[in-house]
Amino acid sequence: VCVGTQHGAKGPFENIADHLSQRERLSVHMKIDMGDKSMEILEWILQSGEVEKLRTLDITLQLGASGSSIPLSERIEQDISTLEKFREVMQISGSTLESMAEQWAETAGRKCAERCEEPEAYAPGGFPLVLPFTISFVHGDLLT
């Protein structure tokens, strides 16, 4: 099922609120890959309380990619804050970050040792955190 956040979306989309309203607690396995809208959907899931219906979530996102008019560094801080709030309910079960960082270290990291621009957000070793990555979550209540 393809879902969005707005009512009346054209095309083969269902409104995410309508879709989740029919579901029981811990019954939804969700995958979100909406480009610059992924964080917006994640924020809505948190604010609406529908996070309690999620059993698992796989989300592809890019920090700071919301397209908002606020500065990139502030968007990245907002995105990280949202992810931290999300972790109060959902626990990380995996991500593509480690393999991406390893590949980066073997290629771009060596080339960029002293000549590349510093990214807005980066991990130890210089790996830029502004690239798209996937992160997987499982509801914390399933781990206790």
Side-chain angles (χ1 to χ4, degrees):
V1 175
C2 294
V3 296
T5 57
Q6 297 178 354
H7 287 281
K10 294 182 180 176
F13 290 95
E14 290 182 16
N15 178 281
I16 192 169
D18 294 342
H19 185 71
L20 289 175
S21 71
Q22 309 293 323
R23 307 294 178 209
E24 298 293 322
R25 184 173 188 277
L26 300 176
S27 67
V28 176
H29 298 276
M30 184 177 283
K31 180 177 184 339
I32 300 172
D33 188 353
M34 297 274 299
D36 64 352
K37 299 291 184 196
S38 292
M39 287 304 293
E40 178 183 321
I41 292 171
L42 193 63
E43 289 169 359
W44 180 85
I45 289 170
L46 273 171
Q47 292 170 357
S48 68
E50 298 290 13
V51 68
E52 289 300 325
K53 297 189 178 171
L54 299 183
R55 186 176 189 85
T56 62
L57 171 69
D58 292 324
I59 183 169
T60 300
L61 53 89
Q62 184 173 355
L63 296 177
S66 68
S68 169
S69 61
I70 63 173
L72 178 60
S73 60
E74 288 180 38
R75 290 193 315 256
I76 290 170
E77 286 180 27
Q78 286 177 349
D79 291 351
I80 290 171
S81 175
T82 298
L83 288 170
E84 288 172 343
K85 289 176 191 165
F86 201 74
R87 278 209 56 244
E88 293 173 7
V89 178
M90 305 287 285
Q91 298 301 307
I92 296 172
S93 60
S95 80
T96 58
L97 285 172
E98 186 173 353
S99 65
M100 290 172 61
E102 288 171 358
Q103 290 173 348
W104 181 85
E106 292 173 6
T107 57
R110 289 189 181 150
K111 293 178 200 169
C112 279
E114 294 182 25
R115 297 184 307 268
C116 292
E117 251 184 67
E118 183 175 352
E120 290 287 334
Y122 54 89
F127 171 67
L129 293 174
V130 291
L131 301 172
F133 63 94
T134 300
I135 189 166
S136 300
F137 295 92
V138 63
H139 198 286
D141 287 356
L142 296 171
L143 301 175
T144 57

